[in-house]
Amino acid sequence: MKFRIIFFSLLVTMAISAQRTQKPELHGKHWMAITGKSLGASAGAMIFQQGGNAVDAACAMLGATCTLWDVLSWGGETQALIYNPKTGKVIAINALGVAPTGATAGFFKDQGCDFPPEYGPLAAVTPGTAGGLCYMLANYGTMSLKDVLAPSIELAKGFPVDVPFETSVSRDKERLSQWKYSKKVFITRPSEEKETPVSGEIFVQENLAETLQKLVDAEQQALKEGISRKEAIMAAYDRFYKGDIAAEIVRSVREQGGLFTMEDLARWKPVEEEPLHTNYKGIDVFKLQSWTQGAAMLQSLNILENFDLRQMGYNSPKYIHTVYQAMNMAFADRDFYYGDPYVHPDIPIKGLLSKEYSRKRASEMWHDKNNPSVGPGDPYPFEGKKNPFIKILKERGFDRDPVEDRDFVPKHDVVSLSEMDSLYQDRLHRGTTSIVAADAEGWVVSVTPSGGWIPACIAGSTGIGLSQRMQSFVLDESLNPFNVVAPGKRPRVTLTPSLALKEGKPFLAFAVQGGDTQEQNLLQFFLNIVEFGMNTQQAAEAANINSNQLWLSLGGTRTEDRSPRAGQILLNTQTPGPTRQELTAMGYMLQFSDRTSGPVNAIYFDRKNGTMRGGSSNHGEDYGIAW
């Protein structure tokens, strides 16, 4: 049986490497623009054709996708990695909003919540996307805000509705109707049988167009007064966060039951920071700091470096099991140790990313069956410290030896279901969009913006959909002492752009949407290229697995909505019978889907030929344009 499985996995590896893809791989010499909607990619192409660099194009795509409601809006959050060819360095941009005044664990517990709300004004952190766009454009772009926002303003004045937008608004009509400003925007035909937009019609957002024009007007007035391009863009920034736009956001949020104050918006600023990184077989992989889940991919790579994945074979039972276990270990650490490093500078990220710690974690892996009780490890000794949370870990049962205590399941931490929980699955895979862009000068950008998705609560006459990221906080210190909600604090988010360098030069820019599956799909996409020799499009379409054995970052307000589902695994429908049988015997509960790659967008840099190759998976509506 084992010989047949190994032989079959080798055949699968060979077939994948040679197979044709449903989308063609993109090729470009001068520039490449890829994002979640074709109109968004067109916005990037327009900017490139006007002479902009990859940062300019990425900002245009960001604005366009927010305007198109590509599972995000202008009130959401933006996080980016930028390769600067002038310095040879990777820059990290943190444009995640913070919890407003009054947002405390006690406040939400008094409302009977185990987690902050999923939707509405109380789900909102302060807007980050507008500030992040202005900061990136001012510091690393070349064009004016007027030029970069031109596609967004035109789209706000009317864009043709596609089927996903129609479906999303129709599905959430009842919730959107609860908020009067959202109702005004999305219930476009209140007297007709179909009250929400339909595919093909033009969807107009007059208020949003006016808000974006106000930003342009602030910039242009500042330029007339003789100040620099950068200062003029930041004048638009100030109007958003300190001027009349901010006043209307705050007024309308408080009217609808939210907590924002003018001081909350005025105090917030985007942060430029050092990215985290690890080296996997000579490739430097960069991620954002511990306010995201990015380090989970780096930890997974460090653990998997201790195994011969190529010899196992692509998606063989042994490979699937090993990747699943490594991800579970990394996510258990994510769920307990990750949080806002500006509030908690003592997060043990150095220990978590040490190769020695990952070797210890690899040595604890069960090789014959799934470990349903994987918990956070102890990274503190690997930075010369004593773990201050031993008491909490003991109370949760995570002080036990994972090798010796093979039959122990921590109380209340694992939910095993014989039937798959469809609502859990929806929350696990919730998407946003992703943006990757590159140019011939060497600028490379990877962005995973989000927040303000439908059903979004609109902020008054601004046309801006508010973030829903508050739900990624916890209220109970025992779940994660670094991620308890507090005013001025960032939640630990799932959003995770990626860049990889080889010999100091761009190797791969990649990003994906999909909640807690993002790091899982990006990890396997990266391994598909590095270990199994796939090109970007093959790797983007190739079948992945997803683990449900983690705490959800998005979802309902009750503990049972978020708890890990031990052993649940998503497989592709093409997974062969012998693989299914072996995984079932190892304690996995199998779920299937015909597309399991996740909507990955990526650019590979072909140094030999001096070109770029792009991949955009067949999972969603993602689209790329190159020249």
Side-chain angles (χ1 to χ4, degrees):
M1 171 68 78
K2 288 187 179 293
F3 174 78
R4 280 196 296 147
I5 292 171
I6 292 170
F7 179 70
F8 184 85
S9 68
L10 289 172
L11 290 178
V12 169
T13 302
M14 294 170 63
I16 285 286
S17 299
Q19 77 173 17
R20 295 183 63 181
T21 53
Q22 292 187 18
K23 286 184 180 180
E25 187 178 37
L26 286 172
H27 293 270
K29 184 172 71 171
H30 301 288
W31 52 260
M32 191 165 284
I34 310 176
T35 189
K37 295 278 189 183
S38 60
L39 287 173
S42 295
M46 290 164 64
I47 295 301
F48 273 131
Q49 289 176 327
Q50 294 170 31
N53 71 6
V55 178
D56 297 317
C59 288
M61 288 191 281
L62 174 58
T65 53
C66 287
T67 305
L68 291 163
W69 295 90
D70 186 22
V71 206
L72 78 162
S73 177
W74 278 93
E77 45 274 353
T78 286
Q79 27 285 314
L81 292 171
I82 301 172
Y83 176 78
N84 183 343
K86 297 178 180 179
T87 63
K89 301 292 185 182
V90 176
I91 304 152
I93 305 297
N94 174 345
L96 172 65
V98 298
T101 300
T104 65
F107 173 83
F108 291 113
K109 285 180 178 179
D110 287 345
Q111 299 182 45
C113 298
D114 296 332
F115 295 90
E118 254 183 300
Y119 302 113
L122 286 177
V125 296
T126 55
T129 287
L133 188 154
C134 287
Y135 183 90
M136 289 189 291
L137 182 64
N139 288 279
Y140 299 106
T142 66
M143 300 179 73
S144 68
L145 190 64
K146 177 181 178 180
D147 290 334
V148 166
L149 289 189
S152 298
I153 293 173
E154 185 174 348
L155 289 169
K157 291 178 180 178
F159 70 83
V161 170
D162 60 15
V163 172
F165 182 83
E166 175 189 357
T167 302
S168 181
V169 178
S170 177
R171 180 186 61 220
D172 290 309
K173 181 182 74 170
E174 183 176 344
R175 194 181 296 275
L176 289 165
S177 298
Q178 296 175 3
W179 308 307
K180 69 176 186 179
Y181 301 108
S182 299
K183 183 176 181 180
K184 181 180 178 182
V185 171
F186 291 105
I187 309 302
T188 55
R189 299 197 305 254
S191 60
E192 299 181 25
E193 182 178 351
K194 175 77 172 179
E195 295 187 310
T196 52
V198 297
S199 177
E201 77 175 43
I202 301 299
F203 181 67
V204 178
Q205 303 171 85
E206 292 179 0
N207 286 342
L208 179 60
E210 291 169 1
T211 296
L212 298 179
Q213 187 60 52
K214 286 179 180 180
L215 297 178
V216 171
D217 291 346
E219 176 202 45
Q220 294 301 301
Q221 180 59 40
L223 288 172
K224 288 179 182 178
E225 295 170 2
I227 67 174
S228 69
R229 169 189 162 275
K230 178 178 178 179
E231 290 172 321
I233 293 172
M234 297 314 288
Y237 171 99
D238 285 342
R239 186 169 187 180
F240 189 96
Y241 288 95
K242 300 174 184 178
D244 58 334
I245 299 172
E248 175 60 7
I249 291 173
V250 170
R251 183 204 66 77
S252 62
V253 167
R254 297 189 73 83
E255 175 195 353
Q256 297 179 86
L259 301 172
F260 286 9
T261 67
M262 288 293 288
E263 291 76 18
D264 291 331
L265 269 65
R267 280 197 299 260
W268 180 87
K269 288 181 174 59
V271 179
E272 182 174 320
E273 59 191 23
E274 285 290 322
L276 301 175
H277 82 281
T278 195
N279 184 280
Y280 182 84
K281 298 187 175 181
I283 300 169
D284 290 305
V285 184
F286 292 84
K287 287 286 188 174
L288 296 167
Q289 288 280 344
S290 60
W291 53 276
T292 74
Q293 67 172 339
M297 177 178 167
L298 305 183
Q299 284 190 249
S300 297
L301 287 171
N302 286 344
I303 294 169
L304 293 171
E305 200 171 36
N306 295 281
F307 302 93
D308 189 343
L309 301 180
R310 194 173 306 172
Q311 189 277 330
M312 292 179 187
Y314 167 74
N315 277 0
S316 68
K318 188 174 183 180
Y319 176 81
I320 290 172
H321 174 73
T322 303
V323 170
Y324 188 97
Q325 298 302 310
M327 292 194 303
N328 288 353
M329 290 177 169
F331 278 104
D333 283 339
R334 178 204 74 167
D335 291 340
F336 190 76
Y337 292 115
Y338 292 15
D340 187 349
Y342 300 97
V343 177
H344 299 285
D346 54 336
I347 290 172
I349 198 68
K350 180 180 177 181
L352 288 166
L353 292 181
S354 74
K355 297 286 189 177
E356 293 80 7
Y357 175 66
S358 290
R359 279 195 288 272
K360 182 176 186 298
R361 294 291 266 169
S363 71
E364 297 168 349
M365 188 181 294
W366 296 3
H367 300 292
D368 59 338
K369 65 177 181 177
N370 177 54
N371 180 354
S373 57
V374 171
D378 187 358
Y380 283 91
F382 297 89
E383 44 182 63
K385 299 175 184 176
K386 184 177 180 181
N387 195 325
F389 304 109
I390 290 296
K391 181 179 178 182
I392 293 176
L393 293 172
K394 284 184 177 179
E395 288 173 352
R396 292 181 61 190
F398 290 132
D399 60 323
R400 296 169 178 261
D401 187 306
V403 177
E404 294 179 1
D405 297 300
R406 286 169 57 90
D407 297 319
F408 175 77
V409 177
K411 187 178 180 181
H412 302 311
D413 276 353
V414 175
V415 177
S416 296
L417 302 177
S418 58
E419 295 182 3
M420 297 302 171
D421 184 338
S422 60
L423 187 56
Y424 182 95
Q425 295 299 320
D426 173 66
R427 290 164 173 161
L428 179 74
H429 294 90
R430 280 184 182 170
T432 172
T433 198
S434 63
I435 297 165
V436 288
D439 61 39
E441 187 183 353
W443 288 95
V444 184
V445 187
S446 177
V447 192
T448 316
S450 189
W453 55 74
I454 297 169
C457 180
I458 299 289
S461 63
T462 66
I464 291 171
L466 298 172
S467 164
Q468 300 98 338
R469 196 57 61 174
M470 191 85 75
Q471 63 186 294
S472 292
F473 280 113
V474 301
L475 306 183
D476 184 352
E477 183 188 40
S478 69
L479 288 180
N480 183 337
F482 298 110
N483 192 37
V484 178
V485 65
K489 187 175 181 178
R490 298 166 185 83
R492 194 278 301 151
V493 296
T494 57
L495 306 159
T496 176
S498 315
L499 278 180
L501 306 184
K502 191 172 185 179
E503 298 175 350
K505 300 293 184 181
F507 171 73
L508 197 62
F510 53 120
V512 70
Q513 58 165 292
D516 291 296
T517 67
Q518 288 180 46
E519 226 55 83
Q520 303 186 46
N521 288 325
L522 292 174
L523 170 69
Q524 291 167 84
F525 168 82
F526 178 81
L527 294 174
N528 288 343
I529 289 177
V530 175
E531 293 289 358
F532 300 110
M534 299 183 198
N535 67 36
T536 50
Q537 190 61 39
Q538 290 169 338
E541 291 187 17
N544 289 343
I545 65 163
N546 284 162
S547 169
N548 295 0
Q549 194 168 310
L550 45 75
W551 281 89
L552 285 185
S553 304
L554 305 168
T557 61
R558 312 304 305 173
T559 298
E560 56 267 26
D561 298 332
R562 306 281 195 103
S563 298
R565 272 55 172 164
Q568 286 190 5
I569 185 171
L570 176 68
L571 299 171
N572 192 274
T573 51
Q574 298 301 311
T575 303
T579 299
R580 299 184 185 202
Q581 293 167 15
E582 185 158 340
L583 291 172
T584 300
M586 297 172 80
Y588 291 102
M589 290 179 288
L590 314 186
Q591 183 186 24
F592 299 95
S593 178
D594 61 343
R595 296 186 184 186
T596 56
S597 63
V600 176
N601 289 322
I603 301 173
Y604 169 80
F605 299 90
D606 185 341
R607 293 291 162 201
K608 179 180 178 182
N609 297 301
T611 61
M612 294 170 260
R613 299 182 180 184
S616 183
S617 89
N618 61 340
H619 194 281
E621 306 127 56
D622 300 77
Y623 200 87
I625 304 175
W627 183 249

